[in-house]
Amino acid sequence: MKKITGKVVSLVLALALVVSSFSVSFAQASTKTMSGVITDTNEDAIYLVNGGAVTTANLTDFLLSRGSNFKFETVDHHTVTDEKINAISHISGDKLVSLSVNSSTDVATLKLKSSSASGKEVISVLYEGSYTDEDGNDYTVKARRDLTVYVYDKDQIVYGEYDPNYATKDSGTGFDDFETFAQTANSTKTLGIYRVVPAATSALATYLPADLTTATSGITDKNAYSFSITGTDVHVSVVNATSTFTQFPVATIGKSFEIDKYTKDASTGNVTVTVKKLVASGSTYKASTDSDDKYTLKTKIEKKCDVATVLPGSTAFSISKTDGKSVLTGDATSASAVVTDCEVVFPAGTTSVSVNENTNVKKISGTVGTLTIGDANVGSIDIDNGTVNVTDGKVGNITTDGAPVAAGDDSVLVSGGKVGNIDVTDVDNDTDSNVTVNAGTVGTIDADGTVTVAATDADTPVVTGKITAPTISLFSDEAKVTVAGVKASADGTITFLGNDTNVSAIDFDYRETTLNLGDEDNAFTGKIPAPTNAENGKIDTTNEDTNATVSGTVKIDTISLDSDTNLAFDGAVTAETIEGDGAMKIAAGKLYVSSSASGVTLKLSDKTLVPGTVVFKADADAVDVDSFDTYGFTLTKSAGSAVDTFKIDALSFAGIAINKDASSIAKGYSETFTASAYPGGTSLPSGCTIQWTLDGGSSDVFTLTSSGNTATVKVNSIDSTFASENKTTLTATLYDEDGYELDDYAPAKCEITAIEVPEAVSDTNADMSISKGASYQMKVTSATVPVVTAGTGGVVSIALVSKNGNDYFYKFTANGSVGAATGIYLNGKKIFVATVKAPAFTSDTTMNLTVKGAYQFQITSAEAPTVCVGSAAFKLNLVSKNGNNYFYKITSDSAKGTQAGIYVNGTRIFVATVG
């Protein structure tokens, strides 16, 4: 609960005195409710024991008070205070527990429903807390998180990894799952076999070592257990005695025992450990035959190499191809081990591991120091400490814990090959949770530090899945970079550099994140999707050569444009602040400013402009007519009580503009561009001409021909070695009648990319409705046969009806139910949504009328219409059908004056009154 300080108490008393002297009523401010998120927890599972004296556990203490990981936030990541547990709800499994909450203390108590039932239940925990926004508004915040509940029987056997600190383990927590055995001869493993009992003052689980014997009868201690194991190559030393016992037995692996050790690795196979409770047998005890008293662990001996056992004393290791096998060697012994298709477990103290070309291992785990993967095949990497360096080959998922070799260094570095998903979020320090990708293909990347993708190898582009991290940098330095998406996991920066950096999605996740387009040394050019959940974020452009387009609707806190940078928007923009010395281009009427604007040059993308056109709107008194440096127009302001509207006052020639800002042209194709006076509606100065040039790229790739205000660019080839040679800038420059460049007017530019094959382009990209039974035809232009599909079956049928050169014509026929909708996809990308609407029809009767007896009317429709009467005043019959004409008769069936609406496809066409 929130506390009131002494100062606050004094203020409250003072206010009370003031209020008592005035006859005024004060309304108490209401508290609103909002949704929040639990972004981290202290525990995701709770372990309870039945059969004890206490059947409850303090859930508030267990989930909220233990540890410091619990994190409750609003959706936009403001901290929630006064956290408490409000309720639980059953999700799946056995129904084992209930919850009670003390209304005075807010303590939530979990209670076992039965003193004998055991099992597993997943519950949803509903949390509640408080948040006050910067305007002083109070909110109750609610969020939920699943919790897995395990309930054991008292004295039940529990298996897990051996934990030497089991006696001081937090009550109510469990153990890591029991790992399989390595097949390495003479490797050992301690068996974590525990006896579970409830804590002294709660039902939370605590653990004792199980007293084990291989004896099955005559045992003197009823709290002991009978032990057995199957698996001929697993050797466990447990006493065969009736009054002395073994705790946490050690298993030794191998076969062919000679003198003091096993000389051969174990065979892979199944292993079963069985522990039984004891029951009375006379004056002693024997192993129970009741299945409820038997606890079984099913595990395996797997192709796993225990490096510490096979190469003792070594700290530097190598895996190389020898005689067709993957062979492990170390620096302290001449011994070796074949590890083909094995998991290789490296011990603490390892300084380096090299996995060389043409080798094949299933998994690498343990501590690796610096792990270097050459042109090898590694199924997965899951290490406790170390740095992973992939230079080539194929590697599965990579997970690292602990820390890299050098503080602040990369946990994972990829400079080639193909890698699965990378997760370094469990690294000890966020500053060490870093990933760099310089070449190759990688899956998703999750980090708590910095992810850097910089294509430094001209021969190898970089392709990654979604990247989630506080700091992300993408740079198409020497080759193309393609990223499925980027997401901010904390306040930080996302930086795009280069001219071939491609991102499918940007999610700020409501963080205070800055999207940097360009930096002091490198520009960014290209098109990016609008950042989502960016209300607290910022877009910042740097470097005079930065020229970018943001596609989609933008809602953001700040847009800051550095000198000579250009940023275009093809959708609506809402921003609190727009600042800087750069240029912003947007369509008229698509901009809203809620706080301030200063310095930015505002350009409009409309082809034609006229005085009176709405340019943008703003909060009242937030912006003035001279806040922007307008380009080719002046503004007039229409003030409102809440919103001011800014319109074009007058137009003037400001320069020239090309009809496109960017274009992709396929090999063997050309495109013609047009330059015209900007803004539309103005004219070039008398005697002026336009000259065209190509800047950058290869003359073997691009050729330019021009005439007057038009220019044609043709792509003749593709440079397969240097991606930068496949990009050029088309520039249109204005010259006077004497042949001098008019420096007062900036040149117009269009960024052009040469591509191998034409992109598929549809003439239909907006959502539409198609009458049931009707058809619509779409044209797709593509050099190869496009793939056109519907996301949901049974809504529309799709047929390729004709082809003319690179133009493909597809017919959509609406055959689903009215209201059904589906996405239409072109080569896997959704281009619009098609919805089935009621068939079009006409009626010969549209006026209200009085019916004495019966009346016949005609509906004309390509598909059978749905006709109905709104009440029982009339009976309806379909009399006949002739082609598309349907003849219906209504017959009065109620008292005079009674009315009914007549409906066709849900639309009322007239009202009939009984005469």
Side-chain angles (χ1 to χ4, degrees):
M1 301 297 289
K2 287 185 176 179
K3 297 180 180 179
I4 300 178
T5 65
K7 291 182 178 180
V8 174
V9 171
S10 300
L11 177 60
V12 171
L13 292 173
L15 287 174
L17 292 173
V18 172
V19 171
S20 66
S21 63
F22 293 89
S23 56
V24 180
S25 297
F26 284 79
Q28 185 175 2
S30 61
T31 300
K32 302 175 182 178
T33 299
M34 67 163 59
S35 295
V37 288
I38 307 298
T39 55
D40 203 355
T41 62
N42 290 321
E43 302 290 346
D44 291 320
I46 186 171
Y47 296 79
L48 306 174
V49 182
N50 63 40
V54 183
T55 60
T56 59
N58 186 328
L59 191 62
T60 299
D61 176 71
F62 185 82
L63 292 180
L64 301 184
S65 301
R66 288 189 182 183
S68 58
N69 292 328
F70 182 78
K71 198 170 184 180
F72 189 1
E73 298 179 326
T74 63
V75 172
D76 54 353
H77 305 292
H78 293 288
T79 300
V80 175
T81 59
D82 305 329
E83 309 100 315
K84 63 182 180 180
I85 296 169
N86 186 286
I88 64 170
S89 177
H90 174 80
I91 299 296
S92 63
D94 307 306
K95 295 185 177 181
L96 301 170
V97 293
S98 61
L99 185 78
S100 62
V101 179
N102 186 310
S103 59
S104 299
T105 62
D106 291 332
V107 172
T109 301
L110 206 59
K111 180 178 176 61
L112 295 171
K113 289 184 176 181
S114 168
S115 60
S116 59
S118 60
K120 174 184 175 182
E121 178 180 11
V122 179
I123 61 175
S124 178
V125 180
L126 180 63
Y127 296 88
E128 185 177 299
S130 302
Y131 165 65
T132 302
D133 66 18
E134 58 187 13
D135 296 323
N137 298 309
D138 292 329
Y139 293 89
T140 295
V141 187
K142 294 183 178 182
R144 60 195 65 204
R145 182 82 173 232
D146 286 355
L147 177 71
T148 303
V149 180
Y150 296 92
V151 178
Y152 294 134
D153 294 323
K154 183 182 178 183
D155 296 322
Q156 176 178 331
I157 290 296
V158 173
Y159 297 101
E161 280 295 288
Y162 172 66
D163 182 353
N165 299 313
Y166 70 89
T168 57
K169 187 178 183 65
D170 286 339
S171 57
T173 59
F175 295 95
D176 291 338
D177 290 339
F178 188 90
E179 293 184 3
T180 56
F181 295 100
Q183 66 178 150
T184 304
N186 303 298
S187 62
T188 60
K189 181 176 176 62
T190 301
L191 306 187
I193 305 176
Y194 306 90
R195 169 188 167 202
V196 62
V197 295
T201 59
S202 74
L204 293 173
T206 61
Y207 304 92
L208 301 171
D211 290 332
L212 305 175
T213 176
T214 57
T216 58
S217 62
I219 302 168
T220 60
D221 186 348
K222 68 176 180 179
N223 291 321
Y225 297 83
S226 179
F227 171 91
S228 64
I229 186 169
T230 62
T232 55
D233 295 342
V234 179
H235 314 281
V236 181
S237 178
V238 174
V239 296
N240 183 10
T242 58
S243 59
T244 58
F245 308 100
T246 301
Q247 296 177 349
F248 300 124
V250 176
T252 303
I253 311 301
K255 56 185 176 182
S256 299
F257 189 81
E258 295 182 7
I259 304 176
D260 60 351
K261 64 181 179 180
Y262 294 96
T263 60
K264 294 182 179 180
D265 288 345
S267 299
T268 59
N270 296 324
V271 177
T272 301
V273 178
T274 303
V275 175
K276 297 179 179 180
K277 280 186 175 181
L278 304 182
V279 294
S281 177
S283 61
T284 59
Y285 301 90
K286 66 178 181 178
S288 173
T289 58
D290 190 335
S291 60
D292 290 340
D293 292 338
K294 182 173 72 173
Y295 305 100
T296 301
L297 169 68
K298 292 185 180 296
T299 185
K300 293 180 179 181
I301 300 174
E302 292 193 309
K303 293 188 71 174
K304 185 188 298 187
C305 176
D306 183 347
V307 176
T309 299
V310 74
L311 300 176
S314 293
T315 58
F317 302 92
S318 178
I319 300 175
S320 302
K321 189 73 170 286
T322 304
D323 297 330
K325 299 176 182 179
S326 301
V327 178
L328 172 70
T329 57
D331 63 345
T333 175
S334 60
S336 64
V338 176
V339 293
T340 305
D341 295 327
C342 286
E343 177 181 350
V344 187
V345 184
F346 291 94
T350 297
T351 59
S352 67
V353 177
S354 296
V355 184
N356 300 318
E357 61 180 319
N358 298 322
T359 54
N360 190 335
V361 296
K362 179 181 178 181
K363 182 179 181 180
I364 292 176
S365 58
T367 299
V368 298
T370 300
L371 169 62
T372 303
I373 310 293
D375 189 7
N377 189 345
V378 179
S380 64
I381 297 172
D382 187 356
I383 59 174
D384 299 325
N385 278 90
T387 296
V388 180
N389 183 358
V390 181
T391 63
D392 204 350
K394 183 178 180 180
V395 180
N397 295 343
I398 299 176
T399 303
T400 70
D401 301 334
V405 171
D409 205 350
D410 291 315
S411 290
V412 179
L413 170 63
V414 180
S415 52
K418 184 175 182 180
V419 177
N421 300 332
I422 298 174
D423 187 343
V424 296
T425 54
D426 283 336
V427 170
D428 290 341
N429 300 310
D430 290 353
T431 53
D432 294 334
S433 179
N434 306 317
V435 176
T436 294
V437 181
N438 291 326
T441 300
V442 178
T444 60
I445 302 174
D446 292 277
D448 289 332
T450 299
V451 175
T452 303
V453 177
T456 57
D457 185 347
D459 295 329
T460 311
V462 177
V463 178
T464 80
K466 183 178 179 181
I467 300 174
T468 303
T471 304
I472 301 170
S473 177
L474 310 180
F475 184 17
S476 51
D477 186 7
E478 296 291 339
K480 183 176 182 178
V481 170
T482 303
V483 176
V486 293
K487 181 178 180 180
S489 61
D491 296 346
T493 60
I494 298 172
T495 302
F496 296 163
L497 306 172
N499 60 12
D500 207 357
T501 299
N502 305 273
V503 182
S504 298
I506 304 169
D507 184 358
F508 279 21
D509 193 30
Y510 303 101
R511 309 285 184 177
E512 292 183 7
T513 293
T514 297
L515 174 61
N516 295 312
L517 303 178
D519 62 15
E520 293 295 334
D521 299 318
N522 300 282
F524 171 77
T525 58
K527 190 172 186 177
I528 63 170
T532 59
N533 306 316
E535 288 86 340
N536 300 320
K538 178 181 181 181
I539 296 176
D540 189 292
T541 62
T542 305
N543 196 294
E544 62 182 8
D545 293 323
T546 290
N547 189 345
T549 298
V550 180
S551 180
T553 301
V554 174
K555 186 176 183 182
I556 199 161
D557 183 85
T558 302
I559 297 172
S560 180
L561 309 177
D562 199 8
S563 179
D564 296 324
T565 61
N566 291 275
L567 187 62
F569 297 88
D570 67 9
V573 173
T574 300
E576 285 199 18
T577 301
I578 299 176
E579 61 187 14
D581 299 317
M584 173 181 181
K585 181 188 287 186
I586 192 170
K590 293 293 186 179
L591 175 63
Y592 192 95
V593 182
S594 60
S595 181
S596 66
S598 62
V600 168
T601 299
L602 183 61
K603 299 181 178 181
L604 300 178
S605 58
D606 307 73
K607 291 183 179 180
T608 303
L609 297 169
V610 295
T613 300
V614 174
V615 176
F616 69 93
K617 295 182 179 180
D619 279 6
D621 299 325
V623 179
D624 211 340
V625 292
D626 58 358
S627 296
F628 285 107
D629 291 337
T630 55
Y631 188 72
F633 60 94
T634 57
L635 292 170
T636 181
K637 175 179 174 180
S638 298
S641 59
V643 176
D644 294 338
T645 302
F646 294 81
K647 301 178 182 179
I648 293 177
D649 185 32
L651 297 171
S652 61
F653 176 75
I656 52 177
I658 301 176
N659 61 306
K660 279 188 173 182
D661 293 322
S663 181
S664 296
I665 306 174
K667 183 175 68 174
Y669 287 78
S670 62
E671 184 173 355
T672 299
F673 301 88
T674 302
S676 56
Y678 176 88
T682 63
S683 302
L684 297 178
S686 177
C688 287
T689 59
I690 296 172
Q691 293 188 19
W692 299 84
T693 57
L694 289 178
D695 181 19
S698 169
S699 59
D700 294 330
V701 176
F702 301 99
T703 55
L704 169 68
T705 56
S706 62
S707 177
N709 71 327
T710 64
T712 300
V713 179
K714 183 177 181 180
V715 173
N716 304 296
S717 63
I718 298 294
D719 192 316
S720 58
T721 304
F722 297 102
S724 59
E725 295 296 279
N726 298 316
K727 289 181 175 290
T728 190
T729 302
L730 175 64
T731 302
T733 307
L734 196 62
Y735 285 78
D736 66 16
E737 56 189 357
D738 296 321
Y740 292 99
E741 181 180 346
L742 294 175
D743 294 331
D744 292 339
Y745 304 108
K749 296 182 179 183
C750 176
E751 304 297 332
I752 298 176
T753 303
I755 57 178
E756 190 69 42
V757 296
E759 297 175 333
V761 178
S762 167
D763 68 348
T764 305
N765 297 283
D767 296 348
M768 65 167 58
S769 296
I770 308 173
S771 298
K772 183 176 176 63
S775 298
Y776 174 81
Q777 185 164 286
M778 175 182 77
K779 180 178 79 172
V780 176
T781 302
S782 176
T784 58
V785 179
V787 178
V788 180
T789 57
T792 303
V795 178
V796 298
S797 60
I798 303 175
L800 175 62
V801 293
S802 65
K803 175 182 181 296
N804 182 13
N806 289 329
D807 294 333
Y808 295 80
F809 298 89
Y810 291 86
K811 183 172 75 171
F812 302 89
T813 302
N815 48 26
S817 57
V818 174
T822 181
I824 303 299
Y825 293 81
L826 173 59
N827 294 341
K829 180 181 180 180
K830 187 166 75 172
I831 54 175
F832 64 89
V833 175
T835 303
V836 179
K837 66 179 181 181
F841 67 90
T842 59
S843 171
D844 67 350
T845 305
T846 57
M847 303 292 291
N848 298 340
L849 50 81
T850 299
V851 178
K852 294 181 180 181
Y855 174 79
Q856 182 169 293
F857 59 96
Q858 175 186 316
I859 302 297
T860 301
S861 174
E863 293 290 323
T866 301
V867 183
C868 61
V869 180
S871 74
F874 292 90
K875 291 182 177 179
L876 174 71
N877 296 102
L878 174 61
V879 178
S880 63
K881 174 183 180 295
N882 184 10
N884 289 333
N885 297 320
Y886 297 80
F887 299 91
Y888 293 88
K889 183 172 71 173
I890 54 174
T891 303
S892 59
D893 192 36
S894 190
K896 183 178 180 179
T898 307
Q899 294 182 322
I902 308 302
Y903 295 84
V904 178
N905 295 340
T907 301
R908 191 175 72 182
I909 56 172
F910 65 89
V911 174
T913 303
V914 177

